[in-house]
């Protein structure tokens, strides 16, 4: 999907970082203190904000929550390989243009009939304004829609690293000057300056020209305490102990060389699943199910299972705890590693 919008309420500004954080918290988004300062500066300075970091750390969710908290309409451009100007900026409604020309054909034919030569008819046709290239036939795509919107917006350019540098160059006019040029009509200047947030999953290096026009922040996974709070907000029915175990497992998995580390959304799903399993997901079969929720590639799943089994064996060998105890469980992986490090010291 190229665009998505949310219904905006009365727009408001955030006078302080604390107000911004509180507004996002009301939408269930618990923002890091440093990131809150950068987002606040971006809104005050009217500068685009580029958020880079691994997939699943809440970059897109930040833009969505910010739009709702600020009472702004959200306009989203989902980037992908092969994205072109027609899908990002604007395109012409060729079907309506053709219908318009067909409706005028008889009238134009009558006016040209008075010309005595083909050259004269050609010149007369060139002088005739058939009104094909007007705003009536212009179809705004996300970038132009954000510029021409009469209400305050948040423009989300999601996963810009999936496009190529040519598409980045197309966006520079919007990012630097808040305007879009349509050759047939002229330049459209922003009627209401949008807040622009770009996200990147670091799959490729972005161009210096793009980065120069943006404020930048590297978003990483939250620490254990804040991640537990995030999960608790999104899954309030799950017990604290279950949340802590699932978060601990996810954090241990992120230390492994996986193709894709567990995202925060996947941790929330796993915590809800663990609560429904009755035993908090500590049964061996249930643990394998939870791993499948957190790890999405077969090769990653093999790595995760081997790591858990190795940690369990080492824990049983190096400690006096009987097999099958808490440290040998999937949720006890982090505790087993901590015990091993303590014994080495």
């Amino acid at each position: 999907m190229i665009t998505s919008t949310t219904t905006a309420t009365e727009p408001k500004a955030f006078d302080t970082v604390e107000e911004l954080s509180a507004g996002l918290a009301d939408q269930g988004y618990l923002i890091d203190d440093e990131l809150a300062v950068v987002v606040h500066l971006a809104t005050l300075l009217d500068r685009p904000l580029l958020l880079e970091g691994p997939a699943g750390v809440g970059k897109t969710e930040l833009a969505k929550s910010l739009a709702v908290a600020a009472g702004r309409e959200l306009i989203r451009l989902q980037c992908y390989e092969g994205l072109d100007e027609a899908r990002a900026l604007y395109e012409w409604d060729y079907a309506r243009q053709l219908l318009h020309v067909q409706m005028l054909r008889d009238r134009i034919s009558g006016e040209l009939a008075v010309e005595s030569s083909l050259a004269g008819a050609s010149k007369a046709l060139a002088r005739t304004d058939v009104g094909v290239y007007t705003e009536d036939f212009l179809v705004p795509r996300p970038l132009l829609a954000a510029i021409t919107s009469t209400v305050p917006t948040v423009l989300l350019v999601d996963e810009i690293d999936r496009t190529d540098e040519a598409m980045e160059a197309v966006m520079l006019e919007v990012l630097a000057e808040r305007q879009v040029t349509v050759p047939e009509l002229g330049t459209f200047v922003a009627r209401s300056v949008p807040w622009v947030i770009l996200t990147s999953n670091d799959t490729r290096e972005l161009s210096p020209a793009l980065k120069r026009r943006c404020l930048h922040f590297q978003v990483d996974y939250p620490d254990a305490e804040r991640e537990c709070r995030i999960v608790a907000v999104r899954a309030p029915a799950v017990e604290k102990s279950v949340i802590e175990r699932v978060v601990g497992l996810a954090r241990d998995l992120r230390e492994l060389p996986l193709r894709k580390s567990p995202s925060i959304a996947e941790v929330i799903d796993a915590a809800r699943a663990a609560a429904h399993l009755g035993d908090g997901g500590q049964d061996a079969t249930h643990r394998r199910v939870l791993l499948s929720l957190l790890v999405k590639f077969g090769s990653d799943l093999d790595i995760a299972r081997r790591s858990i089994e190795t940690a369990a064996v080492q824990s049983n060998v190096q400690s006096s705890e009987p097999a099958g105890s808490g440290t040998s469980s999937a949720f006890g992986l982090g505790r087993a590693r901590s015990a091993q490090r303590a014994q080495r010291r």
Side-chain angles (χ1 to χ4, degrees):
M1 184 169 61
I2 298 298
T3 63
S4 62
T5 60
T6 56
T7 303
T9 57
E10 186 65 27
K12 61 181 178 181
F14 300 106
D15 296 328
T16 65
V17 176
E18 290 73 19
E19 286 185 13
L20 172 67
S21 299
L24 292 174
D26 289 341
Q27 306 307 318
Y29 191 94
L30 306 182
I31 191 170
D32 174 79
D33 292 340
E34 292 183 3
L35 178 56
V37 173
V38 175
V39 173
H40 188 238
L41 287 175
T43 63
L44 293 178
L45 301 175
D46 285 330
R47 292 288 303 279
L49 174 60
L50 172 60
L51 302 176
E52 292 191 279
V57 294
K59 303 185 296 295
T60 301
E61 193 64 28
L62 171 59
K64 294 179 179 179
S65 300
L66 181 64
V68 178
R72 288 176 168 245
E73 180 184 20
L74 175 68
I75 298 179
R76 178 176 180 176
L77 171 62
Q78 179 62 55
C79 298
Y80 54 87
E81 186 177 354
L83 178 68
D84 58 13
E85 294 184 37
R87 293 297 179 182
L89 285 171
Y90 65 90
E91 61 182 342
W92 294 103
D93 190 338
Y94 296 114
R96 289 186 60 217
Q97 286 176 320
L98 180 60
L99 180 61
H100 181 71
V101 170
Q102 290 175 338
M103 292 173 60
L104 296 177
R105 181 179 57 187
D106 294 340
R107 179 175 177 179
I108 294 175
S109 298
E111 293 180 358
L112 297 181
V114 300
E115 300 291 337
S116 58
S117 66
L118 182 60
S122 178
K123 291 180 180 179
L125 180 60
R127 293 192 301 268
T128 302
D129 182 9
V130 295
V132 174
Y133 290 104
T134 65
E135 287 193 51
D136 292 334
F137 300 103
L138 188 66
V139 181
R141 294 306 181 187
L143 298 184
L144 182 58
I147 293 297
T148 57
S149 176
T150 57
V151 299
T153 64
V154 171
L155 171 61
L156 169 60
V157 182
D158 208 12
E159 298 183 320
I160 190 174
D161 52 322
R162 290 182 178 270
T163 65
D164 53 26
E165 290 197 19
M167 196 61 227
E168 287 184 35
V170 170
M171 298 182 186
L172 295 183
E173 184 180 20
V174 176
L175 299 179
E177 303 176 32
R178 298 295 201 280
Q179 65 181 35
V180 171
T181 299
V182 180
E184 296 86 351
L185 297 177
T187 299
F188 291 84
V189 180
R191 298 170 181 173
S192 175
V193 178
W195 291 351
V196 182
I197 295 181
L198 305 93
T199 73
S200 168
N201 293 336
D202 280 339
T203 59
R204 71 171 178 85
E205 185 69 25
L206 300 178
S207 68
L210 179 72
K211 288 194 172 186
R212 188 171 62 248
R213 288 164 172 80
C214 302
L215 298 184
H216 178 270
F217 192 86
Q218 187 72 29
V219 185
D220 206 345
Y221 292 103
D223 57 34
E225 179 185 357
R226 191 160 68 87
E227 187 164 9
C228 286
R229 290 168 53 208
I230 292 171
V231 177
V233 168
R234 296 303 177 97
V238 182
E239 294 181 2
K240 180 180 179 181
S241 59
V242 174
I243 291 175
E244 290 175 346
R245 289 198 297 270
V246 174
V247 169
L249 174 59
R251 294 180 66 81
D252 288 329
L253 291 173
R254 289 170 189 154
E255 296 178 2
L256 301 177
L258 306 180
R259 290 177 58 187
K260 179 189 176 301
S261 295
S263 69
I264 297 175
E266 288 163 342
V267 174
I268 295 171
D269 288 341
R272 288 171 174 163
H276 284 294
L277 292 176
D279 61 353
Q282 298 196 70
D283 176 78
T285 301
H286 292 170
R287 289 198 299 270
R288 288 194 293 271
V289 172
L290 293 182
L291 273 181
S292 298
L293 293 176
L294 293 170
V295 180
K296 301 301 176 66
F297 291 96
S299 58
D300 287 352
L301 196 57
D302 292 338
I303 293 173
R305 286 173 176 170
R306 284 197 301 268
S307 177
I308 289 174
E309 291 170 0
T310 300
V313 170
Q314 291 178 350
S315 175
N316 290 330
V317 169
Q318 297 180 12
S319 71
S320 59
E321 295 180 16
S325 64
T327 54
S328 65
S329 71
F331 288 134
L333 176 58
R335 295 191 296 275
R337 287 179 174 172
S338 297
Q340 294 167 25
R341 287 194 292 267
Q343 290 181 8
R344 293 192 190 102
R345 289 195 293 268

